[in-house]
Amino acid sequence: MQRLPVITLTVTLAFCGTQLTAADKTDQGPVRVAPRPQARQEVQHLGERLPDVHATDLAGKRVSLLQLQGALVVVTRDVNCPLCKRYGPRLGKLTRKYAASGQNKKPVTFLFLNVNESDTPKMMHDEQKAFGFDGIYVHDPKRKVAAVLGVRTTTEAFVIDSAGTLRYRGAVDDQYGIGYSKQAPSRNYLIDAIDEVLQGRPVSTPATTSPGCVIELDSPDWQPSGKITYHNRISRIVQASCQSCHRKGGVGPFPLEAYRQVKARKSMIKYVLEEQIMPPWFAAEGTGPWLNDRRLSDRDRSALLSWIDDKCPEGSAKDAPATVTRDEGWHIGKPDLVIEIPETQSIPAEGFVDYRYMYVRTPNKEDRWIQSMEIRSTAPEVVHHVLVFQEEPRQPGESRRAFRRRFAGGLHGYFAGMVPGHGWTIYPDHVGKKLPANASLKFQVHYTPNGKAAKDRTAIGFKFRDTPPQYEITTASAATTRFRIPPGNPAYEVKAHFAFSEDATVYSFAPHMHLRGKAFRYELARPDGVRQLLLDVPRYDFNWQLRYKLAEPIDIPAGSVIHATAWFDNSADNPANPDPNQTVRFGEQTFDEMMIGYFEWYARPQAQRGSF
């Protein structure tokens, strides 16, 4: 069979007198836009108690948003918006699903908010009938209700709980977007949010963008009025940003679940806010945005400090938020496979405990693809952090030096991690992590005695995908073991790099150092000479082994290099320094040091241009 010649085509597009080559056009932004999860800091009023607002429905009945029964779901509509049309049948089914699940009492009320001033009552009645919307339909041509919600697009959905708290805003799901459609959704954002609110759980993805027709508001924001009290404002901030750790049975040193508990800690709360110690987050401005950003928004931080300065008024209990249940079970749901460390560990009441290492062989006889995974300990109050590596144990007769050369004490084989308050990872639909058949997993557990003896049986749980993902995500690092930190040096610099031989997408970062770690930075050098700051951690804290997850993963061309720079404080001014008089080398214990710039990434096959 004769082989056809390779033909290369150059396409030129002309717009308004400007010529763009096909290569230039790829830099003008995506033509397909899907929902994107957002960090809380990007979204106004998320987690706040909304003001009440009244409207008149199509039947002429006056309704109050905050006096409707149960949870309220508001969905923005425009009769002629193409995406609104596509989501019509889905929303009709949802209204009937939740109406049926409530039997005699609806757990959820749906309100359809039409924001198009040109849509007529007949058009809206016809839409309601065609799609079977079982709910309230309101025409909001002057966008007064939309202004309270801060509506951005015609397809945006909002979930407001029974206490008037905005718990979710964003897309219905990811089946439809601008320039694309899929056979079925892979992320059911709205359904998940409704179910979590009904179950009294935190919403796992509280905000996303929502592709649709853009809405312009005359008054796009509102400011809370009246006195800030614990019940109408502060309780919601503490619930969302503090109670994942500071609760009974949590890893925080004291609970913050009631007014008296928060008021009793007011001076400490003010101190950690002003010193930016809590909530723990160390990425500097100018990078990200980060999907798991723990920081308080400026609004929330200002509200907390103002409330403390105002002598902590309690307010009326009728303004309190709905109770949120912190599930003591698995955050990822029931795992398909759970692997425990081989023996229960005893932790003394006091003293220093060296890292403990335990190996476990996985029982899976074939490769499996991980959709989500979570590390859990049975004594979280004494577990500082857990790292899991895919690593074979030291073989009989193998020297320690040879063993360390194979795995370099954590530089290779990193698989999963847990830090206080967060030990689970859920991958998006198009990526997954491989668990090889009969893999050997090494658990590195750092125990910190707290005055009371404890026993722990740490485990890792996996939920698997039924089919292989589009991309395999792996963990690599820009790291080095070749350094010697001189005695007394307050800012010793160590550099490492990682070169990409193929197009890649970087998903997250996790810098790792020990007690002398001071600062860490990731930078990207692209083949065209452009240098980009990826992550800057000017104040590194060993107590928080944080993973910085990008809201929008970064595409990196082949030939790029990640440069990692770490700074160490080996001086007597570092209160955590075990011995400022020692030269410090690489090692696995906390009194040694590490310089590891972990990052998660996946390879993207290069497009085959001009060949067929």
Side-chain angles (χ1 to χ4, degrees):
M1 183 176 180
Q2 184 178 7
R3 185 176 179 180
L4 294 174
V6 175
I7 302 174
T8 301
L9 302 177
T10 300
V11 180
T12 302
L13 306 175
F15 295 99
C16 302
T18 301
Q19 289 191 334
L20 298 174
T21 67
D24 293 332
K25 186 63 181 171
T26 62
D27 295 330
Q28 306 304 306
V31 295
R32 290 176 289 275
V33 181
R36 175 180 63 82
Q38 293 183 287
R40 298 184 71 91
Q41 290 74 17
E42 296 182 77
V43 185
Q44 289 284 66
H45 305 300
L46 190 64
E48 295 184 25
R49 184 173 184 265
L50 297 177
D52 200 2
V53 60
H54 295 80
T56 302
D57 68 9
L58 291 183
K61 182 180 178 181
R62 190 170 171 81
V63 296
S64 167
L65 261 65
L66 299 191
Q67 294 177 14
L68 295 172
Q69 188 181 74
L72 174 65
V73 176
V74 180
V75 184
T76 316
R77 299 293 297 171
D78 176 335
V79 170
N80 289 312
C81 169
L83 285 177
C84 282
K85 291 180 179 179
R86 287 187 171 186
Y87 273 114
R90 174 76 40 79
L91 291 169
K93 291 177 182 177
L94 286 184
T95 61
R96 296 188 291 275
K97 168 188 173 181
Y98 286 101
S101 66
Q103 298 178 352
N104 296 327
K105 182 179 179 181
K106 290 184 180 180
V108 181
T109 299
F110 279 80
L111 188 150
F112 297 91
L113 187 70
N114 188 302
V115 293
N116 190 336
E117 58 186 331
S118 66
D119 284 352
T120 66
K122 183 181 185 305
M123 293 166 66
M124 291 181 282
H125 275 296
D126 290 346
E127 174 181 73
Q128 189 173 23
K129 183 179 179 180
F131 296 132
F133 291 160
D134 185 357
I136 300 165
Y137 202 116
V138 169
H139 193 199
D140 187 31
K142 294 185 178 180
R143 299 175 179 175
K144 292 182 179 180
V145 180
V148 169
L149 295 171
V151 170
R152 299 171 294 192
T153 68
T154 55
T155 61
E156 196 166 17
F158 303 81
V159 179
I160 304 165
D161 69 18
S162 57
T165 307
L166 178 59
R167 298 285 302 281
Y168 171 79
R169 65 176 298 165
V172 174
D173 56 42
D174 65 350
Q175 182 173 5
Y176 305 119
I178 295 176
Y180 82 93
S181 64
K182 301 192 295 188
Q183 287 290 334
S186 54
R187 297 293 303 273
N188 289 293
Y189 297 113
L190 180 58
I191 291 177
D192 290 346
I194 294 172
D195 290 344
E196 287 164 339
V197 167
L198 294 180
Q199 294 162 12
R201 294 163 55 95
V203 175
S204 53
T205 304
T208 76
T209 57
S210 182
C213 299
V214 176
I215 299 298
E216 292 185 9
L217 300 173
D218 294 333
S219 53
D221 194 16
W222 57 271
Q223 297 297 326
S225 60
K227 190 184 200 65
I228 295 175
T229 71
Y230 176 78
H231 287 303
N232 72 13
R233 185 82 167 88
I234 303 306
S235 56
R236 289 169 170 80
I237 299 173
V238 173
Q239 188 182 75
S241 300
C242 308
Q243 289 178 5
S244 61
C245 293
H246 289 275
R247 58 188 170 88
K248 185 178 179 180
V251 299
F254 46 78
L256 294 173
E257 298 178 285
Y259 169 70
R260 58 180 177 80
Q261 295 170 334
V262 177
K263 182 182 178 183
R265 301 285 179 181
K266 62 182 184 298
S267 298
M268 190 62 187
I269 291 172
K270 184 174 183 179
Y271 169 75
V272 297
L273 287 177
E274 291 180 337
E275 296 297 321
Q276 299 184 37
I277 298 172
M278 288 285 161
W281 188 258
F282 307 104
E285 295 286 350
T287 58
W290 308 101
L291 193 58
N292 58 334
D293 194 332
R294 294 171 176 246
R295 291 174 299 173
L296 293 179
S297 66
D298 291 340
R299 287 167 59 94
D300 287 349
R301 185 173 178 273
S302 176
L304 256 172
L305 291 173
S306 296
W307 176 74
I308 293 171
D309 291 340
D310 197 26
K311 303 188 184 305
C312 308
E314 182 176 8
S316 173
K318 69 179 179 61
D319 296 333
T323 300
V324 171
T325 301
R326 303 285 174 177
D327 192 353
E328 300 300 327
W330 296 89
H331 291 85
I332 61 172
K334 185 180 179 181
D336 299 318
L337 173 65
V338 176
I339 299 173
E340 293 183 321
I341 57 177
E343 297 178 353
T344 299
Q345 299 295 302
S346 296
I347 300 93
E350 57 184 336
F352 177 82
V353 179
D354 285 342
Y355 281 11
R356 294 185 182 176
Y357 298 92
M358 292 144 279
Y359 288 89
V360 182
R361 181 72 65 178
T362 65
N364 53 306
K365 303 301 182 185
E366 57 185 19
D367 295 348
R368 298 297 303 271
W369 290 99
I370 299 167
Q371 179 64 68
S372 58
M373 56 183 171
E374 180 176 355
I375 300 171
R376 295 183 60 83
S377 63
T378 56
E381 68 276 9
V382 296
V383 176
H384 177 271
H385 72 270
V386 179
L387 300 181
V388 177
F389 299 85
Q390 186 183 318
E391 178 180 313
E392 295 289 338
R394 187 175 171 183
Q395 302 300 314
E398 184 178 25
S399 69
R400 182 173 178 81
R401 175 176 293 182
F403 172 67
R404 289 184 65 175
R405 274 202 303 268
R406 278 202 296 141
F407 293 102
L411 267 66
H412 311 305
Y414 178 89
F415 196 76
M418 183 201 80
V419 297
H422 195 88
W424 62 94
T425 299
I426 301 174
Y427 292 112
D429 187 62
H430 63 293
V431 301
K433 201 162 197 173
K434 182 188 289 186
L435 179 66
N438 301 123
S440 178
L441 299 182
K442 181 180 80 172
F443 287 76
Q444 178 201 83
V445 187
H446 182 196
Y447 292 110
T448 52
N450 70 345
K452 183 179 179 181
K455 293 186 180 296
D456 173 61
R457 195 72 182 265
T458 290
I460 186 169
F462 302 101
K463 292 192 77 171
F464 297 117
R465 299 171 49 94
D466 295 329
T467 58
Q470 183 179 5
Y471 301 116
E472 177 183 358
I473 198 164
T474 59
T475 304
S477 65
T480 182
T481 62
R482 298 182 178 182
F483 57 83
R484 293 186 179 185
I485 306 173
N489 194 310
Y492 186 74
E493 184 179 275
V494 178
K495 292 180 175 291
H497 70 275
F498 181 94
F500 292 89
S501 59
E502 54 194 330
D503 289 349
T505 297
V506 172
Y507 189 73
S508 70
F509 304 92
H512 183 73
M513 299 184 286
H514 288 173
L515 296 172
R516 298 171 181 84
K518 183 175 184 177
F520 205 101
R521 183 180 297 160
Y522 294 80
E523 296 174 287
L524 179 69
R526 297 178 182 270
D528 59 5
V530 173
R531 201 171 180 97
Q532 176 184 355
L533 178 63
L534 299 175
L535 170 64
D536 185 23
V537 181
R539 300 188 308 158
Y540 178 84
D541 187 348
F542 172 69
N543 294 301
W544 296 94
Q545 303 291 321
L546 299 185
R547 173 175 172 254
Y548 299 87
K549 182 179 177 182
L550 287 158
E552 295 186 63
I554 299 173
D555 290 339
I556 294 175
S560 299
V561 178
I562 284 183
H563 293 275
T565 307
W567 289 268
F568 298 89
D569 183 355
N570 195 21
S571 73
D573 291 333
N574 176 2
N577 194 346
D579 187 352
N581 299 312
Q582 293 293 320
T583 297
V584 183
R585 298 174 175 82
F586 176 87
E588 295 189 52
Q589 295 300 331
T590 55
F591 49 77
D592 300 315
E593 268 305 337
M594 286 188 171
M595 189 285 183
I596 307 177
Y598 291 121
F599 59 93
E600 287 185 302
W601 71 289
Y602 54 85
R604 292 181 292 107
Q606 291 185 348
Q608 295 183 358
R609 299 180 182 177
S611 62
F612 57 94

